[in-house]
Amino acid sequence: MGNYAETKQEIIHYIYARTPLVIVHTDERERVERMLHEIVAERQIEFLYYTDAKQVKSIGGKAETMDTEEDPLGFFLGQLKRQRSLNIVLGDVRRISDDNAYSRELMNILYIAKENNGVVILVTSDRVWSRIASFGMVVTLDMPDTRERIMQIAKFIKTYSGRFSIDWDESDVLHAAALLRGFSEIQIDNLLSAEIIGSNGLKRDKIYRLASQKQRMYPKSGMVQHIEINRGYKAAGMDRLKAWLEDKKKIFFLPEEKLYEYDLKAPKGILLVGVPGCGKSLTAKLVAQEWELPLFRFDIGSVFDKWVGESEKKMREALQFIESVSPCVLWIDEIEKVLSTSDSGNETGKRVLGEFLFWIQESAGKVFMVATANNVKVLPYELYRKGRFSEVFYAGLPNPRERRGAIAQYAHASLKIELNPDFLEELVQKTDRYSYADIETAVKEVAQQMLIRGETEVSREMLLKSIESIIPISTINQELVEEIERWGKERAVDVSKQ
């Protein structure tokens, strides 16, 4: 794997070493063309460069474009026989993955190149037949790295800053570069151009849309769904988790080179254990909103198949799709309902878990997972050990301050009112041991009754009656809630500041 500068230097070394064959593995031929022109300018090396559209063009020499009469390999074979130390570049190649007439003719060229000190450079994204590959070396030109993306975005901004309103600062450019990971240079230019035209500039509050475009580039996966989120969403409470996420955000968006320098990896994500209805699932939406990343929900249960080997295959396909659309937030809800099967003698479950754990451990993509669980005791211990998730958090029943914030937020959103402080305090006391979901249900039930009756005023009695009619989760399933609370307080980090 290599970035632009590394690949360019490797090609120069192989040319000086007169390696008969250099295979440049890439999807971006235009970047290789630019690289060739730079090598000519810096090292005075000449190339004969072939593409289907332009035939043979001399780069660095005096000759003009030459017509090969639709037989480029025959043309180059003749050139190699007449001239020693010739550098040939094939920008368009075909049928080189197996034994056929084209690949055998290319083999003849490589034999002559070896005898006459020539170098043949193949630019391709295809697999190369092993007999051809044995003649030389393979270099890989990756998609632009963080530094290259930053430079490209900066150049784009400089080009259009006089014509459009651009309010991106240095941190926004760094953020955009992270979001555009995995795009080619042409795709980056296309996305920036579409954004600057669509928004009449580059707006800070629209930067998240860059990453959301990536999912359109890949076939949809039935196991991984894109989740639209309300960018104005606010979550009450969870202050310790919010502070932790704010710190990890800075690390997540650092360039890969900086992380590599300190032997670090981007944060993997969190395992969030807690009482049902206490905001675990909403955390994934909160992270995606605050980090301005697309959100995907992974239904792990859908990978299981009755046919031998299909479950593992579907898991690999789903993980490959997730890697393709990164950077992103990956939401896995109630993870224990699926992956707990690995401890029950289910061999398929164990193999699927193995694929998943290997991906978590070895993935180089920037995927931040938010996995939720109500009953962590049934999860295999290897899933939540350090290194798999960045942290294990516990979300319990909201404390008085959190209930106060939640009640005020729901009342403002659904009832369009600001509660009197004394009445708000009374509601806080009335909702002791209520979950966020219990409180939300009570407030929204009042809003529904108002709409049904055509009323516009909210009475004190309506709210109190609605709250008192709720049977909270702590009463409905007291034993489960108490068990989760004990586990969370002993073995996880509380999402709230105490």
Side-chain angles (χ1 to χ4, degrees):
M1 298 293 183
N3 61 20
Y4 185 89
E6 291 170 347
T7 302
K8 176 181 168 182
Q9 199 57 47
E10 281 187 275
I11 291 174
I12 291 173
H13 287 162
Y14 292 139
I15 290 173
Y16 282 148
R18 307 315 294 165
T19 305
L21 173 65
V22 181
I23 301 168
V24 183
H25 197 268
T26 181
D27 291 316
E28 298 183 280
R29 192 183 72 188
E30 63 283 348
R31 292 176 76 201
V32 179
E33 291 181 11
R34 187 171 73 246
M35 191 181 295
L36 295 175
H37 284 280
E38 290 177 5
I39 293 173
V40 168
E42 296 168 8
R43 305 292 179 128
Q44 288 74 53
I45 296 174
E46 298 179 9
F47 298 98
L48 289 180
Y49 178 48
Y50 171 82
T51 60
D52 289 339
K54 296 183 178 180
Q55 297 294 288
V56 177
K57 180 180 179 181
S58 176
I59 303 178
K62 297 179 181 180
E64 299 295 330
T65 300
M66 294 165 275
D67 189 351
T68 62
E69 297 180 354
E70 299 183 355
D71 184 14
L73 297 189
F75 172 83
F76 284 127
L77 184 61
Q79 292 291 316
L80 284 166
K81 288 179 177 179
R82 289 192 295 269
Q83 182 179 343
R84 290 183 60 82
S85 302
L86 195 63
N87 300 311
I88 293 170
V89 183
L90 292 173
D92 282 312
V93 293
R94 56 190 62 79
R95 304 187 303 277
I96 59 171
S97 60
D98 54 24
D99 184 2
N100 56 63
Y102 183 91
S103 59
R104 286 195 297 273
E105 188 174 358
L106 183 56
M107 286 279 293
N108 292 334
I109 289 178
L110 295 176
Y111 279 115
I112 299 300
K114 182 175 178 60
E115 291 176 5
N116 290 349
N117 211 32
V119 175
V120 178
I121 299 175
L122 304 182
V123 183
T124 183
S125 59
D126 298 332
R127 184 178 65 86
V128 179
W129 185 31
S130 59
R131 286 195 62 192
I132 293 176
S134 65
F135 268 84
M137 306 298 289
V138 179
V139 297
T140 301
L141 177 59
D142 290 333
M143 294 295 187
D145 63 16
T146 304
R147 179 174 173 275
E148 292 173 286
R149 296 194 298 273
I150 290 172
M151 291 174 62
Q152 185 176 354
I153 295 169
K155 181 181 178 182
F156 184 91
I157 290 174
K158 184 178 180 181
T159 301
Y160 293 100
S161 59
R163 297 165 52 191
F164 293 92
S165 172
I166 298 175
D167 59 12
W168 287 6
D169 58 20
E170 186 176 343
S171 64
D172 295 316
V173 170
L174 185 63
H175 191 172
L179 295 178
L180 292 170
R181 177 182 180 272
F183 285 110
S184 68
E185 282 190 350
I186 290 178
Q187 289 169 331
I188 291 173
D189 271 337
N190 289 342
L191 283 169
L192 293 175
S193 297
E195 182 60 29
I196 205 169
I197 295 297
S199 300
N200 195 30
L202 296 179
K203 311 298 184 182
R204 182 174 294 123
D205 60 347
K206 303 293 184 184
I207 197 169
Y208 70 90
R209 299 198 307 195
L210 294 175
S212 64
Q213 300 292 330
K214 185 176 289 190
Q215 62 174 310
R216 302 178 185 180
M217 299 167 52
Y218 303 97
K220 289 186 177 180
S221 169
M223 298 161 284
V224 184
Q225 298 88 36
H226 178 251
I227 304 296
E228 294 290 345
I229 60 175
N230 178 3
R231 293 285 164 181
Y233 168 76
K234 293 182 180 179
M238 300 190 289
D239 291 339
R240 180 176 291 172
L241 174 59
K242 289 176 181 176
W244 185 91
L245 288 171
E246 186 62 32
D247 285 340
K248 296 304 178 184
K249 176 182 177 181
K250 299 171 185 175
I251 302 298
F252 187 88
F253 285 103
L254 282 177
E256 292 92 336
E257 299 86 344
K258 179 64 70 174
L259 293 174
Y260 180 79
E261 180 182 347
Y262 289 91
D263 193 24
L264 295 174
K265 290 184 178 181
K268 296 282 187 180
I270 60 175
L271 177 60
L272 191 55
V273 182
V275 178
C278 287
K280 297 190 302 298
S281 298
L282 292 177
T283 301
K285 298 179 181 179
L286 176 66
V287 177
Q289 174 187 275
E290 293 298 317
W291 290 19
E292 297 180 300
L293 290 172
L295 174 63
F296 293 89
R297 182 178 181 273
F298 183 17
D299 180 10
I300 295 184
S302 64
V303 308
F304 287 95
D305 195 286
K306 64 180 180 179
W307 303 109
V308 176
E310 282 298 307
S311 299
E312 300 92 302
K313 178 183 176 183
K314 290 168 73 173
M315 173 62 88
R316 287 192 293 270
E317 289 174 351
L319 296 177
Q320 185 177 13
F321 174 82
I322 293 165
E323 287 277 353
S324 299
V325 296
S326 69
C328 65
V329 177
L330 184 66
W331 172 24
I332 307 174
D333 201 22
E334 297 185 340
I335 193 172
E336 78 277 16
K337 289 186 177 180
V338 178
L339 294 187
S340 62
T341 59
S342 64
D343 277 348
S344 62
N346 185 320
E347 291 301 321
T348 298
K350 290 180 180 179
R351 290 194 296 271
V352 167
L353 175 63
E355 291 281 351
F356 185 62
L357 292 179
F358 179 79
W359 175 75
I360 293 176
Q361 193 74 33
E362 302 299 328
S363 170
K366 288 196 173 184
V367 178
F368 189 88
M369 286 183 297
V370 178
T372 68
N374 293 323
N375 187 6
V376 75
K377 291 175 65 177
V378 302
L379 284 173
Y381 75 92
E382 61 263 39
L383 181 64
Y384 55 88
R385 73 165 176 80
K386 293 296 184 183
R388 295 276 162 74
F389 288 95
S390 302
E391 190 56 272
V392 179
F393 280 96
Y394 159 69
L397 295 169
N399 60 37
R401 182 176 55 79
E402 292 172 327
R403 295 200 302 277
R404 187 178 300 109
I407 295 169
Q409 179 179 317
Y410 295 137
H412 176 77
S414 297
L415 303 177
K416 311 303 178 186
I417 61 172
E418 302 295 332
L419 294 171
N420 176 279
D422 292 336
F423 183 41
L424 177 58
E425 198 59 38
E426 182 180 356
L427 295 178
V428 170
Q429 299 304 317
K430 290 280 188 182
T431 54
D432 184 36
R433 301 289 292 172
Y434 278 44
S435 69
Y436 288 112
D438 295 331
I439 296 170
E440 181 181 16
T441 299
V443 174
K444 290 189 174 181
E445 179 61 31
V446 173
Q448 290 180 35
Q449 292 302 316
M450 289 175 62
L451 288 173
I452 292 171
R453 299 169 186 172
E455 299 176 357
T456 57
E457 297 293 329
V458 183
S459 69
R460 180 176 181 276
E461 290 72 22
M462 289 171 65
L463 260 175
L464 284 173
K465 182 179 178 180
S466 183
I467 283 178
E468 290 171 353
S469 70
I470 295 291
I471 302 176
I473 184 68
S474 59
T475 300
I476 293 174
N477 204 334
Q478 181 179 350
E479 295 79 9
L480 172 65
V481 170
E482 290 176 352
E483 182 180 8
I484 293 174
E485 286 179 328
R486 281 195 300 271
W487 192 97
K489 290 176 181 178
E490 293 174 359
R491 307 184 188 184
V493 178
D494 199 311
V495 299
S496 306
K497 288 184 178 178
Q498 301 299 324

